[in-house]
Amino acid sequence: MSKRCTIARLGLLLMAVALLAGCDQQAKELLHAGKATARTDLVGGPVAYADTGDFILENDKVRVAILGFQRSWGPGVFGGSLVDADIRRDDPRYPPGYGRDKLAEIFPFANLLVPAPLGGQVTVVKDGSDGQEAVIRVEGKGMFMFEALSVLETQRKLLAGLGYPDVHTSIDFRTDYLLKPGDQFVTMRTWVALRPRASQSNQNKGFSEGASCTNDASCGSGGVLVCQNIGTAGTGTCGCKSLADQGCGGETCAMAHNFDDFGCQQCGCSGTATMTNTTGPVSVFAAVLGPKNPGIGESKTKAGVGGGDFVFFGNQTDIFVPGHGFDEEKPVWDALFNNVDTFGHPLVFDFVSAAGGEVSYAYYTKKQAGQDKEPQVLVPVFTSAATAFVTAAVNCSTDPSDDDSCDKVRVFEYERYLAIGQGDIASVSDIVWKHRATATGTVKGYVRWEQTGQAVANASVHVLRDPDPTKKWTSLQEVVQANRAIDASPGVLDSVDADVGADTVEDGAFEATLPAGHYVLVPMDPHKVVTGAPLQIEVKAGKTNVVVPSLPAPARLRVKALDSQGSALPAKATVVRLGSDGKPLFRDGGRLPYFGQGRLGIGIERLAFGMDGSFDLPIQAGTYRLVVSHGIEWSVADQVVTLKPGEERSLKVSLAHEVDTTGWLSTDFHLHAEPSFDSGMPLGDRVQTIAAEGVDYVASTDHDVLSDYVPFLRKFNLDQWLKAVVGSEVSTLEIGHYIGFPLKYNQVEVAGQPHNAVPSHGSVDWYCTPSNDLLKKILASSGMDGGQASTIIAHPRDGFLGWLDQAGVNAYSLTRTLSLMEQNNPVLRTVACDQDAMEVFNGKRFDMTHTATVKEVQLFSRCLKRIDDAGVTGNTVDAASAREVMKVACPELADRGLQNVVTFEGVDSCPADEDITTCKMRYRMALAAISAGDINTRTPEEQAAWMAEGQSLPSGATEQTSDTALSALKPLCDFDPAKLSQPFETAVPPASWNRPCGRRDGVLSDYFRFLEHGYVRGIVGGSDSHGYKQEPGLPRTYIRSNTDAPSNVDPQTVGESLRGSHTVPSYGPFIDVKVLGGGPGDTVKATAGQKLKVHVKVQTASWFGVDRVEVYLNGQVAQAFDLAVDASRVVDFDKDVELDVPTRDSHIVVVALGAQPGSWMRPVYLDVPFGELQLARVASIAFSSLLGSLAKTVFPPPARIPDFFPVFPMAISSAVLVDVGGDGKYDAPLPLPAFCSPQCDATTGEIQDAGYSAQGKKRKCSDLQSNYKCLTPENRCGVDVPGVCNIYSEQKAGALRSLLGTH
Amino acid sequence: MRPSFVNMFRGQQAFSLAISISFVAVALVCRPALAHEHPGPDLPAGATATGDAKPCGDCDHGGKGSDAKPCVGDCEHGGKGGEHRGCPGLAAAGDDCDCPECAGDHHGPHGEKGEHGEKGEHGERGQHGEHHGMGPHGEGGHMPPPMFGQLHGWLTQLPRPTALIQMQTAVFTGDSAQVARGDRAEVAGFGLRRARLGFEGNEGRHLSYALSADLASNPQTSGGNLGEAWLAMHVGHLELKLGAQHTPYLQEAMLSSGHLGLAERSFSANAMAPFRQVGATLSGHYDLAGLEWYVGSYNAFERGINFYQGIREFSGFTGNRFGGVSFVGRLSAAPLGAMGKQVFDAEGGKLRLGIGVSGYTSDAGATRMNGMAGDLHAKFMGAHLLVQYLRDTANPKEQPTDTATTTTALTRQAITAELGYAWRRLNAAVRYEKIDPDTSRDDDQDGTVVSGALGVQLPGERMRIQAQFDHRQEPYGPTIKGASALKNDVAFLMFQLLH
């Protein structure tokens, strides 16, 4: 070696040493808070929202992003929220700005208010340059995320009257997001400052609320409001005084000054008190409302503050709660079935975490000084995508002893943490244990295949509580059963991934820390197919356990699906696990939801989709029923296979197109995928699931974002099977959801932008936009090759997310009455009715189709109550007696042989070894199936009663009349448990049996009434599919078309067919209706008294059927046909139905239904099972809970309508309109609905639309309903709702401060 | 979870960059000195013969042409050569210097190769002694006239195409037959077993290379359809081969699929030998008692989910999954004369005996796998016997702390015995196998297999037709229930074309 080289090598060595030292030092000092100025500053990832201009907080471990002053494009509304979070990745695959964020959004709330930061209220407090900490601060006035919640503010007097005075609904927020070097968690420290107002007691002494000292702005700069002239009786007035006059210095306070009991500012700044972290279940409303609220925690306290966060983990993560594991939905549904109000009795968890594969999160708190145990987070609202956590609360006592430390304090502080891990639950649990200084030991090892000893890369190891360490557990089921006996949970405490996250060395190794204790470890393969034998260990603090659990080899099932010509067919494989009796296992079957296998129901083990007809399914050994399908028009292949461990089986099946739909396209205009925050389905998977269901034409309709399926159609070579256009579901929070398609989507433009630079991809911004303007915005986005966009109202009767419900539309009078909670919501001043169509079928929501009758609802409620109560004594359930009681739970159905409801589905009782909880669900589900079938089987009497409720009102009825009618209806379906022992005829008078239940309205019922009012719009069925469990095309819309080839479809023609109502929404059957040569949506001419032949042909594929066909004339059931149950029949009904043409213009509608078990679509289409929670449903539950809590003493609980059921084959044809008058058009007997907001002349108040005229004379808005006005600037009839909506535009207008002060 | 040095290194990008720059700088500074220390070949490739070898007469520049002419006379230099190259089998026999054994695969006028390796169902390897081909003109080959030398040298360095097509027809399959369980087919019908295409060549007299791909899909090959991709350097008795190649483990696994006694290798060889992997092999070949040794290092091995899936090939093709390496070694001898590349005793000669022992150790991340194998191969008067024993163990690197509840070592073993006879171009063989995929317990993976085959090799050894029947017995299989045998017997025909 040359000397020169030797010197060079020495130099290299020295340089390496220096660099290593330097790098180490650099890593330790990495601490930064600041504005992102470049893409590389951002977090990045599949659901990253932040962009340049937003704020970044990072250290050597983690990087998070916080929105600046802007409207949130995430599930929240306002800015300042934590939207992105990831570990730091020193991995060239993930360069800066291209991380793996999978968090949707987190933002604090207190008393249901959330901060709405304005310009300059998101700031860097400490940039981290001191090496100590980096802090980003978000301040903001508390606003209600849901305007509906402003009822707490607007109805303060009402609340006080109900016994809830002084509720704090005027709050300022300050939240510091804080990082220190080395932290793997973000500290979120929030201060809430209560804005003062005169207390209720002082108001009672003469200080009106409005005279309280709340508005410091009115005193101008340097002035403060003080109370003056306080008399001995406590009366007085407020006025302005300078600080000097007050004897105060010129101090400024960080959050709040001191105030007196009258809400008047005093010298000095308010001290800060720390809110108490919750360590057990307390009522959320107890904290917020004060002493008279129901539920846990009643004490002599005043209204207080409950603080926490809205945490939207997002659907690209799997939520985990210690105890229930990944089955976090189970406790929610357990609570619901036990009629537990989760606000009064919230769910309680040690912490809640979410695994995203490459990144994971945990939300938690830690014990405060003086607390002897670790706190827990309270969960009043929970879905897999959206959760509200309450972590701390404060309620001052009525006892004066705490006045100084509590009552006079205006600022309260609470703290919680967001841990960010490698991708599994264990990596965030580790952070939690460490942060809490919990004594832990280590468990490590690897999972291996039992047959070869090979390490299983990316396997997982689930950690369960050992229910009895003295016992030897031989199966997972034993362990779970023993754990359930302890606390009703399977006892899943942690989950560890081998090769966690983006580990490049896939050697199957895992490692985790666990608190000292006894555990059972259960390994699982990376595809979540097989589990290994349980393995018991004892973990000791500071010690390490090395374990090597084994997994049996999964079996494999290879299937090839072909059409009758032998060509490959996109198809779906449904694999149902069969028990030893050859019948499908009940509910989850062999799936383990608590280990993250998800829930499919009816014993289904696997679903798979094969674009070229090929399936390769790893599956655990067992006996299965394999059903291969291609949607509702095709036959299925159905066979039983038995597989042993490691066995591979190849099968070839052939399917045939059975249903003739010539001239009709099968469409689905309501589909979601990963771009929607509440869907975790990749776009490619979405396209595959659509093609496998045999849908011809679809629109992608993600929530508030445009996405394009076309690249995936090409990728999978599906052009001949499917055509797709770009659309969006404009998902307002409080005026319903609006679908628009095809919309402009510039792929190049989007591709050229980073995903989170244009998070909506051009979708319509609905914030503070009334519905008429919203429709205009959608139409303005028309584009692609489809001409004018089509607009559809989604799920119009879906409570909080339903257009008709939110607008307060009375289903009988079609007038509007805003609910108490929406009376201050300005976007509800008017209601648009100009959309092209509305969904009469949405998802598998058979609870939203027909309006149930009083008898149906009461009968369901009575039977359900008996099942719920069966064998229950206190907190225990006697299984034997419960089984006996349930066998006669429904005497009301004795005449149908269904006193024992499970006989409906061909069994006599639960299996002997089935636990009572599962057994009860079996009865509940059978009952729900019967009830839902009955509700959707419309008798002539029921339909006549429905129509009569509206028609009993005199023409031009006022809303008072209709409201009276409604208020008379509602109590009829309130269930009174006290009457359970009475005979049904006594408890529910027969005269009311057929009357509609006025608390829940169905869209099909609405449709008939709309037709009577001449409000003719298209009707559609949309699957609203968010994942695998909601099949695309179920329901779907058959739409008349001039081509049957998807590749030849012209979107413009589809739009025209939709606007022309040439549609047949369907859950399976295909209805062909011909009247005088016309079909659905057509207007035909006829003569009064003429015998009209209506040709009705109903077809179903050979594996399901219809057993009832109903022909409606003018909203009445003119003829109904009960058919023999025969699923194998393809043409179920084919005949001419003769009707007498009445003297008025008419409409004819046909409905087909399969309500009997032999007609159902199992297992190809999954039941709506126990366990499925949608955000919409949870929001409804939350608001019902709020109202229920407020008014529980006033109103009994409303009757329940079954919302879990099998899929019933059901279809409805759009109305064929019959022109009897001879003017060539359909003239409805009733005027256009009042709830629509017709255009009006502000000067005259007259309605411009001739459809609202009476006898040729223009009517005024007030003629529609007395509180209608011709509103300006809208120039539409509507309700003059006060309130502030767009805080951002108001800020620009300079009026915000005072406006916000009104809160 | 395991900290990775690579990841740590990646984490320090600035550091990494600086180090890289420094290395380049050092390399530039040191280049002359290093070059001086490690002088490379200083002769133009292909232009110079060693001169100590004589022309191989009719073998035409080396081994022998594709028409299998005998290389009488000069074979000791052309076929065998002083470097133990060319026709190892014949050289060892050394009697009449007929080179039929050379005639096999693709050793054209410019040297030869063992053969383009191929793979059985679970991979197989090419002939041992492969790539003993000579330089461009064959070591000891005759020199072309000087005026044509450059052109000739250039032409003879062109890569030579290689091909292997193998079609199988299952004429009978039992109800339980499954490819995943090692069976040849699970339904009756035609199947393309192998469709390999590639090329091979030499670069100078010390370098040879091969690249091939298999166009027939093989679900067991995790690394795609790569066949071989290697570069070999030959110096004296030594050979260093780098790239994707056959590992030197077990006689049967090292044989070409065209030279087996039956249409397919034994189940146990397919399941327990590592076959092709990415790495480096150093080998030595000696005349003395036909002694050969091999040592190699490759990316760590990865087994499949069940026994019959064997060891995945080319785990390094998509990166070294475990970050660890394996080491394989083999020592073999043929004291009574070269065994030839065929299992059969095609020449019907005197008694010959080949013995070999092999072993491996593989650092597969959290697991360490160790394997050993022994083989005995005898030929006499047209008959042959091949007996093999294989045993391997997968061990956790860190022993479980509670052995009462967690698994420790998993050991498996198998023994095979094959007996056959060849007459002219016809051959017949039977094989018995006993397989125990987990010696600690009796389960449905245990089994015995009896196979029988009849075959004919067409002239030129380019074409082979063979019929085989496998009967399997799995004494603990759930479908047997102690009553009847599994119905996973398979009968199939194989047609093979080599070039």
Side-chain angles (χ1 to χ4, degrees), chain A residues 648-777:
Chain A
E648 300 194 4
R649 183 75 61 83
S650 297
L651 300 167
K652 195 174 285 182
V653 299
S654 180
L655 309 181
H657 192 198
E658 296 179 326
V659 177
D660 180 8
T661 58
T662 304
W664 294 82
L665 277 180
S666 158
T667 66
D668 189 348
F669 304 130
H670 196 164
L671 290 158
H672 297 272
E674 213 167 59
S676 295
F677 82 93
D678 56 352
S679 170
M681 175 171 268
L683 281 168
D685 287 14
R686 166 51 72 216
V687 168
Q688 294 189 44
T689 57
I690 297 167
E693 297 296 349
V695 183
D696 300 325
Y697 181 89
V698 294
S700 55
T701 54
D702 286 306
H703 294 298
D704 302 318
V705 58
L706 303 184
S707 49
D708 190 4
Y709 294 163
V710 171
F712 296 94
L713 291 181
R714 292 180 184 144
K715 177 180 176 182
F716 300 124
N717 198 24
L718 292 170
D719 289 335
Q720 64 163 321
W721 296 101
L722 178 62
K723 179 142 187 161
V725 294
V726 174
S728 175
E729 182 176 14
V730 180
S731 306
T732 78
L733 275 181
E734 294 177 77
I735 58 171
H737 288 189
Y738 298 75
I739 288 170
F741 67 94
L743 301 179
K744 269 184 289 196
Y745 183 78
N746 188 329
Q747 192 174 7
V748 174
E749 198 171 81
V750 171
Q753 297 278 2
H755 166 70
N756 46 9
V758 192
S760 70
H761 288 184
S763 182
V764 166
D765 183 0
W766 50 262
Y767 180 65
C768 279
T769 307
S771 50
N772 282 300
D773 293 343
L774 210 52
L775 288 175
K776 285 179 189 167
K777 281 186 175 184

Side-chain angles (χ1 to χ4, degrees), chain B residues 1 10 18 36 54 66 128 156 158 194 198 207 269 278 286 296 307 316 354 361 366 374 385 401 405 443 448:
Chain B
M1 297 287 284
R10 280 181 182 142
H36 179 73
K54 296 174 183 174
S66 58
H128 66 126
T156 54
L158 285 176
R194 298 177 176 94
L207 293 176
V278 175
Y286 305 94
F307 177 80
T361 182
L385 173 70
T401 48
T405 56
D443 62 12
T448 55

Side-chain angles (χ1 to χ4, degrees), chain A residues 10 71 149 164 169 200 206 293 340 399 512 542 548 654 741 769 868 896 933 1016 1021 1026 1038 1087 1126 1129 1248 1261 1300:
Chain A
L10 279 172
R71 190 170 117 47
L149 290 171
Y164 306 108
T169 53
Q200 189 65 37
N293 57 79
V340 173
D399 186 334
V548 186
S654 180
F741 67 94
T769 307
D868 288 345
R896 292 166 62 185
V1016 182
H1026 283 68
Y1038 283 103
T1087 310
D1126 180 5
R1129 200 171 46 206
Q1248 304 297 302
C1261 295
L1300 288 181

Side-chain angles (χ1 to χ4, degrees), chain B residues 37-76:
Chain B
E37 287 162 16
H38 305 285
D42 53 2
L43 297 173
T48 306
T50 55
D52 59 354
K54 296 174 183 174
C56 188
D58 294 343
C59 275
D60 194 11
H61 309 303
K64 144 176 208 305
S66 58
D67 54 356
K69 291 176 185 173
C71 51
V72 179
D74 294 321
C75 207
E76 67 182 67

